[in-house]
Amino acid sequence: MTEPAAPRTVRRRSSTRATLIAAADAIFRETGSTSVSVEAVVARAGYTRGAFYSNFRTVDELFFAVYEQQAEAVFAVLEHELGAALDGHPTVDGVVQGVVHGLPPEDRWYAIRSVLTTRARHDPEVNALLRAHTDRFHATLQPLLVAALERAGRVPTVDPALYTRAVVAAHVGAVSQSVLFDGTDEVRVAAVEGCILGLTRPMDDVVGEADEADRPA
């Protein structure tokens, strides 16, 4: 029996999209820029302009797809690392290591985000796309991070969403030192640990305060 045309078309379009994303990723690795033409992307991918516009409206949208693909890969590792921190008797050190091992140590992921952030300051459409992608990433990470902390006996002293962003920001800042300092791994651990300890407190303190509040005056 002949296979229906629709599934073949879907698979072909999916393959074309993946190839275009890979081409854009390769170009960014080489140039560090997202300011490239559609012609450059399709030449690298071996497709036509028509194939490009069948999958993406703009080059910006393509590079957001690159960023989002990287973010999904990062989250998969984070999910594994923080999940491992929940096994047995998790500790704060285990949570720190989970974050440090889960978030990428190289600056490639942060580099493309930095370029997009710079463009977002002047382009409302880019700003909206980057905010949406960033919000999804943090919203997905937040319950994992907070659950791991609670199992380790600590709770955030600030809003969990703010806390999650602070932890990621601490790591991003540490990675940015890689071009200036050789001991990036030590800086990453120190930055994440400092943020986790500085913006959390022992859960026993919270329970004790609740008990104190319930006591008759």
Side-chain angles (χ1 to χ4, degrees):
M1 178 182 290
T2 303
E3 187 178 9
R8 286 202 301 269
T9 301
V10 171
R11 284 199 298 272
R12 184 164 59 248
R13 182 171 181 178
S14 177
S15 175
T16 301
R17 181 181 175 87
T19 303
L20 289 167
I21 291 173
D25 189 18
I27 291 172
F28 184 80
R29 287 171 182 261
E30 294 171 3
T31 67
S33 173
T34 62
S35 297
V36 299
S37 65
V38 171
E39 287 76 14
V41 174
V42 297
R44 184 63 173 261
Y47 290 129
T48 64
R49 286 173 59 90
F52 178 91
Y53 287 113
S54 292
N55 289 272
F56 300 100
R57 292 181 300 121
T58 64
V59 171
D60 282 338
E61 188 176 274
L62 169 61
F63 276 103
F64 271 106
V66 175
Y67 172 72
E68 191 165 45
Q69 180 173 275
Q70 293 174 358
E72 289 173 358
V74 167
F75 181 73
V77 177
L78 270 170
E79 189 172 33
H80 172 76
E81 293 292 339
L82 290 175
L86 290 171
D87 293 337
H89 300 286
T91 62
V92 171
D93 182 64
V95 177
V96 170
Q97 294 301 321
V99 172
V100 170
H101 292 158
L103 290 171
E106 72 281 356
D107 62 4
R108 183 170 65 91
W109 184 54
Y110 306 107
I112 192 169
R113 186 179 187 280
S114 176
V115 170
L116 292 172
T117 299
T118 299
R119 297 189 64 178
R121 296 181 188 279
H122 309 285
D123 188 324
E125 184 176 358
V126 174
N127 186 294
L129 283 169
L130 185 58
R131 279 177 177 267
H133 288 176
T134 303
D135 288 347
R136 281 201 300 273
F137 179 78
H138 286 107
T140 307
L141 173 59
Q142 179 184 319
L144 280 174
L145 181 59
V146 173
L149 281 167
E150 289 178 351
R151 288 289 302 278
R154 298 187 73 86
V155 293
T157 58
V158 296
D159 178 78
L162 176 61
Y163 177 74
T164 302
R165 289 177 180 272
V167 171
V168 174
H171 186 271
V172 171
V175 172
S176 70
Q177 298 296 308
S178 62
V179 296
L180 305 172
F181 180 66
D182 292 333
T184 308
D185 288 346
E186 291 86 348
V187 176
R188 291 167 63 215
V189 171
V192 172
E193 183 176 26
C195 188
I196 285 179
L197 291 177
L199 293 177
T200 63
R201 59 176 175 168
M203 191 177 294
D204 289 345
D205 289 355
V206 178
V207 174
E209 289 175 4
D211 291 343
E212 185 69 25
D214 289 338
R215 290 178 185 171

